[in-house]
Amino acid sequence: MSKQKEIVLITGASSGIGKSLALELSGKGYELILSSRNMDSLNDVANSVSKLGGKAHVIQMDIARSDSVKELFIKSKKIGFVGTVINNAGFGKFDSIQNIDIEGWDSQLSVNLRGSFLITKFFSESMMQNKRGMFVYINSVAGKKAYPYSSAYVASKFGLLGFSRSMRAELREHNIKVISVHPGAVDTAFWDNVEGDFPRNQMMSSENVAKTIVHAICAPDNVVLEELDIQRAEGDF
């Protein structure tokens, strides 16, 4: 890594894959900007990073609000050039099409898809000016495979795949890499409020998924793993 500090922004960094990415990237020498709505949990992650000898800044942000994302961008610029942005914030609500309400539909599209648009819109400008950068979109297996009782979630993730592919084609000339990550089931708090008999002890760990993603992030300068499907060795459930 060059002597110039390399800064990574992680949205949804307070738990799950985002938290594991923070710890893994810290061990690789990256300086971190950690963002989510939960400041208490963000500070806990930042303290864990500090204990590992790393450096992390915490900025509260609601990815569904454009003014909040803009404020995140302004505060991040004061820290330094953000060369890698990991769009990790997301959530799912699962129900039949008859039972899902309009607010539930809109909120998933707003957080999972519109949020990535806002983050990319603001942070791509400085990357273009610097002629380098990377966007990592933490998608899902649901971005490539449809599931029942998941219409809003699946639609947002299919949309995110299309968005990432469009950004890759648009930003390539500016030496900006785009990685779309599609994990299968990961044992995180995502499943806490999901009804169903899901064998969480058989799911992948967020730590192992994070290690795989960081491997892609650290690929040599002229190489990019454009779409990364991460599954259990045993396959999907």
Side-chain angles (χ1 to χ4, degrees):
M1 190 182 298
S2 66
K3 293 182 180 179
Q4 179 183 8
K5 66 178 179 180
E6 296 288 342
I7 301 175
V8 179
L9 165 68
I10 307 173
T11 69
S14 58
S15 63
I17 294 175
K19 176 181 178 180
S20 294
L21 282 168
L23 299 177
E24 187 69 20
L25 286 165
S26 174
K28 298 290 185 182
Y30 289 91
E31 186 170 338
L32 306 174
I33 300 175
L34 310 176
S35 183
S36 79
R37 292 181 297 176
N38 191 325
M39 280 298 290
D40 289 340
S41 295
L42 280 180
N43 285 323
D44 287 344
V45 177
N47 288 336
S48 296
V49 168
S50 180
K51 290 177 182 178
L52 293 174
K55 185 174 183 180
H57 312 265
V58 297
I59 302 176
Q60 189 173 36
M61 183 267 299
D62 183 349
I63 201 167
R65 291 174 42 207
S66 60
D67 60 336
S68 185
V69 177
K70 184 176 182 180
E71 185 178 2
L72 168 68
F73 172 64
I74 292 170
K75 290 180 177 179
S76 296
K77 281 188 71 174
K78 294 178 180 178
I79 296 170
F81 169 62
V82 179
T84 300
V85 172
I86 302 177
N87 296 271
N88 175 66
F91 79 105
K93 290 184 177 180
F94 305 98
D95 210 334
S96 67
I97 191 64
Q98 289 84 12
N99 291 332
I100 187 170
D101 56 33
I102 295 173
E103 181 182 359
W105 173 278
D106 288 346
S107 61
Q108 289 179 82
L109 269 291
S110 182
V111 171
N112 297 347
L113 182 55
R114 183 173 179 269
S116 287
F117 154 72
L118 291 171
I119 289 285
T120 307
K121 181 176 178 63
F122 284 112
F123 283 88
S124 59
E125 180 180 357
S126 56
M127 291 185 186
M128 290 181 187
Q129 292 171 351
N130 283 273
K131 290 295 182 182
R132 69 184 183 93
M134 180 186 300
F135 286 101
V136 182
Y137 300 97
I138 307 301
N139 200 307
S140 166
V141 66
K144 293 185 174 182
K145 179 180 178 181
Y147 295 89
Y149 307 106
S150 311
S151 57
Y153 185 72
V154 167
S156 69
K157 292 301 187 177
F158 266 69
L160 183 58
L161 174 58
F163 178 74
S164 69
R165 288 177 174 177
S166 180
M167 286 299 94
R168 184 178 298 120
E170 183 173 333
L171 299 176
R172 196 188 300 277
E173 65 178 286
H174 300 286
N175 193 36
I176 298 172
K177 299 179 182 181
V178 174
I179 301 174
S180 183
V181 182
H182 299 259
V186 183
D187 185 16
T188 69
F190 177 92
W191 299 96
D192 288 352
N193 298 314
V194 178
E195 295 183 4
D197 185 20
F198 298 101
R200 292 180 61 166
N201 64 330
Q202 298 180 33
M203 295 179 180
M204 297 180 291
S205 70
S206 60
E207 293 82 5
N208 285 343
V209 170
K211 289 178 187 293
T212 306
I213 296 169
V214 170
H215 176 74
I217 291 172
C218 294
D221 286 345
N222 66 338
V223 173
V224 57
L225 293 169
E226 295 185 338
E227 291 184 11
L228 184 61
D229 295 341
I230 308 176
Q231 277 286 7
R232 304 184 315 151
E234 298 93 334
D236 200 0
F237 292 105

